[in-house]
Amino acid sequence: MSRAIAVALAAAALPTALACGGPARTDRHGATAPAAASSSPAAGDTDGTAAPGSASFPELSGDTAKRLDSAIQDVLKETGVPGVIAGVWANGKGSYVRAFGVADKQANAKMTSDLYMRIGSVTKTFTVTGLLRLVDQGKVKLDDPVGKYVDGVPGGDKITLRQLADMRSGLFNYSEDQGFDKALKENPEREFLPAELLAYAFQHPSNSAPGKRFQYSNTNTVLLGMVIEKVGGQPLANYLRRNVVLPSRLGHTSFPKGASLPNPHAHGYTTDTPNGQEADATGWNPSWAWAAGAMVSDLRDMRTWAHTLATGTILSPASQKERLDFQGTGIPGIGYGLGVFDNHGWIGHNGSLPGYQTVVVYLPDAEATLVVLLNSDTAHQGSEPSTLFAQAITKIVSPGHVYTLPAMASTPPTPVPSGSPRTASPTAPGASPAQPTPGQTTPAEPTSGPTVPVVPPTPGTT
């Protein structure tokens, strides 16, 4: 149900009336959409001193703003995505914030930049940060075996917490199980418990030995959530709020119970349904993604989080160094660290689950942040729409660092029947039953997520 680094990595990470333009309006972020870009500094940005690589980054106003307006609206029209929110901020270069299209198709309500959305596999960045906070407190070690904390994990005496965080455990991705896919599609509003999700995964042999290769898998992050609950002594949502969300000064980010969404929020639309017809997925329960993709946030908080994630504001220098130790994924230009990727220089994560997609990244060279939030996960000609928006934006603001992820296979892999043997797949980690790309939380359906033939799944797919 989302597809981008695993069906572009897997979180997540992953049709339609279109309405753009209209009168400019101001939202609670103080941004106007569409309107002239502001040059005032934003939370999470630096004090205005030029960054080493900022000379080549354009001023986010005038002609650049017009080009961005045009590029974003072109992608909106081409993909049929109902609505999109986009923000770009760069130290000393001003800011650009826009909202185009509609947030609610039935009410024909315009998209505005203050709306909450589900963030899919960007949740993984919070879960892994929570783990690294425990590392900093001396309560766990990255090279501890997961079996020390969670019983019943196949090979749990050899798979380390590090290998779960960097997607190299080899464990089967529960999102790819046919029984799971069927259960979710039959009742997307039902609640899944973490133990149920792992049961789907553990019916299958591992895809590879621990540490051998990158394979984006929601199973890894669900296990980390269980480790955090055991060591932290509290529910994952409470732990992340106290140890990650509040220290990062995020006032609009939450790990909701059930399918609740704060107001105001955008409605999310998906064709990841039994009959392939578009449905309003706003009320679908993201518990199936849990630690891998269930969180909710907004533009303002994601801007702040991109900087915090990439710079390690709430971690020790040693833990941040571990996090940013990017390893190859099999996808050119994409490295994956501990719950975070490097996409051609942009550090962060993408997210996708039914009805919503997200890109949250930071470019250290220019001290620039990019956030894209949209209310559809329906692929366009095999590509995640969030990737197409981020690609169009970065071609303009950072042509030397263009964000991109591979398109999905034209014929997605069939979900693996529950309990059936599976041989190691040549694709990298993914999120949906069709090997996800980083960022995909969405379960891979028999037809969707970030997956590429012979290319590892893209991060971001839950």
Side-chain angles (χ1 to χ4, degrees):
M1 292 168 146
S2 179
R3 27 272 166 215
I5 285 181
V7 165
L9 274 185
L14 133 332
T16 48
L18 171 65
C20 301
R25 57 185 295 177
T26 302
D27 62 32
R28 64 185 164 87
H29 294 158
T32 306
S38 163
S39 60
S40 58
D45 294 339
T46 55
D47 61 6
T49 305
S54 64
S56 60
F57 206 93
E59 292 285 343
L60 295 169
S61 58
D63 288 344
T64 299
K66 290 177 182 177
R67 291 177 64 202
L68 289 170
D69 286 348
S70 178
I72 293 169
Q73 290 181 83
D74 284 349
V75 175
L76 192 70
K77 183 175 181 180
E78 176 187 352
T79 59
V81 167
V84 61
I85 302 167
V88 186
W89 303 263
N91 187 23
K93 302 295 184 175
S95 63
Y96 170 93
V97 175
R98 297 286 193 275
F100 297 104
V102 295
D104 182 338
K105 294 170 69 173
Q106 184 173 0
N108 197 31
K110 291 193 178 298
M111 184 68 78
T112 58
S113 62
D114 61 341
L115 301 182
Y116 288 95
M117 293 205 200
R118 302 195 190 279
I119 60 173
S121 288
V122 176
T123 302
K124 291 179 171 72
T125 65
F126 285 88
T127 300
V128 174
T129 300
L131 175 73
L132 293 174
R133 294 276 282 179
L134 290 174
V135 171
D136 283 344
Q137 294 162 16
K139 295 181 178 179
V140 302
K141 296 179 181 178
L142 284 173
D143 294 318
D144 284 346
V146 66
K148 180 177 179 180
Y149 306 101
V150 181
D151 293 332
V153 180
D157 59 331
K158 297 181 176 63
I159 297 169
T160 66
L161 303 184
R162 181 193 304 276
Q163 289 163 345
L164 295 174
D166 70 6
M167 300 291 177
R168 293 174 187 276
S169 73
L171 290 171
F172 182 85
N173 183 7
Y174 68 82
S175 302
E176 298 180 36
D177 179 82
Q178 192 173 65
F180 166 77
D181 186 68
K182 182 174 184 289
L184 181 62
K185 282 195 169 69
E186 287 178 347
N187 185 6
E189 297 177 359
R190 65 159 286 188
E191 180 179 6
F192 286 87
L193 298 177
E196 292 180 81
L197 302 176
L198 295 182
Y200 285 113
F202 296 167
Q203 295 178 88
H204 301 273
S206 294
N207 291 322
S208 63
K212 290 298 182 184
R213 62 190 182 105
F214 172 81
Q215 291 183 301
Y216 193 81
S217 172
N218 293 322
T219 303
N220 294 328
T221 320
V222 167
L223 278 168
L224 290 179
M226 296 177 77
V227 170
I228 289 170
E229 287 198 329
K230 180 165 185 177
V231 179
Q234 56 193 299
L236 179 63
N238 294 354
Y239 176 88
L240 292 182
R241 175 170 172 76
R242 293 170 183 167
N243 293 276
V244 181
V245 173
L246 292 179
S248 299
R249 300 183 179 182
L250 305 178
H252 298 92
T253 300
S254 62
F255 198 126
K257 182 172 177 57
S260 63
L261 266 171
N263 288 317
H265 60 260
H267 282 245
Y269 301 92
T270 186
T271 54
D272 195 3
T273 58
N275 61 8
Q277 296 299 302
E278 185 181 271
D280 185 331
T282 310
W284 291 11
N285 193 327
S287 61
W288 65 266
W290 195 52
M295 292 180 73
V296 171
S297 192
D298 69 358
L299 179 72
R300 175 166 61 186
D301 272 13
M302 288 295 91
R303 173 193 179 183
T304 301
W305 180 242
H307 180 271
T308 298
L309 178 66
T311 60
T313 306
I314 65 170
L315 295 179
S316 69
S319 286
Q320 183 65 4
K321 183 178 179 181
E322 295 276 17
R323 168 150 67 189
L324 301 185
D325 182 15
F326 297 109
Q327 304 295 313
T329 61
I331 304 171
I334 309 293
Y336 204 86
L338 302 182
V340 65
F341 63 57
D342 179 333
N343 187 318
H344 301 86
W346 289 92
I347 294 172
H349 217 285
N350 60 335
S352 175
L353 77 173
Y356 300 92
Q357 287 195 344
T358 309
V359 173
V360 179
V361 289
Y362 181 81
L363 184 64
D365 282 355
E367 293 181 1
T369 299
L370 167 64
V371 176
V372 178
L373 303 165
L374 51 144
N375 59 345
S376 173
D377 67 312
T378 299
H380 176 69
Q381 297 181 357
S383 291
E384 295 270 321
S386 59
T387 297
L388 298 178
F389 282 108
Q391 185 176 65
I393 292 168
T394 55
K395 281 182 177 179
I396 293 170
V397 299
S398 58
H401 301 278
V402 176
Y403 179 103
T404 188
L405 289 173
M408 297 176 274
S410 56
T411 304
T414 301
V416 179
S418 297
S420 69
R422 174 186 178 92
T423 55
S425 161
T427 37
S432 54
Q435 276 299 74
T437 323
Q440 257 187 300
T441 327
T442 307
E445 39 181 340
T447 59
S448 65
T451 287
V452 185
V454 193
V455 175
T458 315
T461 308
T462 318

